[in-house]
Amino acid sequence: MPIKAILFDIDGTLVDSNDLHVLAWQEAFTAAGVEFDRQTIHDQIGKGTDMLVPALLPDADQATQVALGQVHGEIFKSTYLHRVRPFAGAHDLLAHAHGRGQRVALASSASKAELDHYLDLLDARDLVEVTTSSDDVERTKPAHDIFATALRKLADVGPSEAMVVGDTPYDVEAAAACGIAAIALRSGGFADDVLRRAGAVAIYDHAAALLADYAASPLGR
């Protein structure tokens, strides 16, 4: 069945931000008196605060989770956001999908403010039909809420007519929970075996590689 809509993750998929989020989280945890190495934090990137903090601090109460998320957000916005750059081919990938008549959604665990910033960074406002951020849902990835909400906003598109493009196992797992297949990109820094175990139907190096193989990829079949 032809793919009518593509739900794109942003961080690590379209923009090179994962390592910067790791640094912001590391600073936030250190400020709270907790130390984690970068790899431990990276392994949780792709989740929102509601999922990431409990994974690393399972005994943290709700107030602590919220406070850590706020500190991370402030650090990321003030220190790192201006350093984020789009991956090569990211804009062109969105434009190609749009040009084929496929509906484009951005579905991210980022905040709405960050998502809006990335829309401009990617020069994608005329290409994207639907956006969903952590502000729109109760639970972020790997829960299915973000992709389920994006699919509802698209309307008239069933799970088998959509596909997710992401960079983390949490994107793939969240997509599967909605009955949507997912392509994974290595640009977020996750190993192939991790992405395959999560259920990725195909793996590409980055946005430009997926664009180059678009016609033969699950998006173009």
Side-chain angles (χ1 to χ4, degrees):
M1 182 176 294
I3 299 301
K4 295 182 179 179
I6 307 169
L7 286 58
F8 288 93
D9 172 62
I10 303 176
D11 289 292
T13 300
L14 299 175
V15 303
D16 190 4
S17 57
N18 282 8
D19 288 344
L20 299 176
H21 274 294
V22 169
L23 295 174
W25 274 116
Q26 191 172 43
E27 291 182 33
F29 283 121
T30 298
V34 186
E35 297 290 342
F36 291 108
D37 63 68
R38 292 181 185 178
Q39 187 60 51
T40 297
I41 297 172
H42 176 273
D43 289 347
Q44 302 300 321
I45 293 296
K47 299 177 179 180
T49 296
D50 62 310
M51 296 290 189
L52 185 150
V53 174
L56 296 178
L57 294 177
D59 295 329
D61 58 24
Q62 183 67 22
T64 300
Q65 292 178 33
V66 171
L68 279 166
Q70 289 174 340
V71 172
H72 162 265
E74 291 163 2
I75 292 170
F76 186 76
K77 181 179 179 180
S78 63
T79 305
Y80 298 109
L81 183 61
H82 72 280
R83 292 169 54 181
V84 177
R85 296 291 180 268
F87 283 115
H91 168 85
D92 293 341
L93 178 61
L94 299 178
H96 186 75
H98 179 75
R100 287 172 54 99
Q102 292 170 311
R103 302 166 73 184
V104 175
L106 299 187
S108 172
S109 291
S111 68
K112 184 178 186 303
E114 288 176 20
L115 192 152
D116 284 342
H117 174 80
Y118 294 145
L119 275 169
D120 291 329
L121 190 66
L122 291 160
D123 188 22
R125 290 194 179 274
D126 292 339
L127 306 174
V128 174
E129 180 177 341
V130 163
T131 65
T132 302
S133 71
S134 60
D135 295 7
D136 299 319
V137 298
E138 291 187 7
R139 302 174 301 163
T140 61
K141 302 166 189 172
H144 73 286
D145 302 31
I146 286 174
F147 290 140
T149 299
L151 204 59
R152 284 198 299 272
K153 288 182 179 181
L154 285 165
D156 301 322
V157 175
S160 64
E161 299 171 310
M163 188 159 290
V164 162
V165 177
D167 68 296
T168 76
Y170 314 118
D171 294 314
V172 181
E173 291 167 10
C178 295
I180 306 173
I183 293 172
L185 304 184
R186 298 183 179 98
S187 47
F190 286 85
D192 284 14
D193 62 327
V194 173
L195 299 171
R196 288 197 184 95
R197 282 201 305 269
V201 297
I203 302 176
Y204 289 87
D205 283 344
H206 38 56
L210 176 56
L211 176 60
D213 194 49
Y214 203 99
S217 79
L219 297 179
R221 292 174 190 160

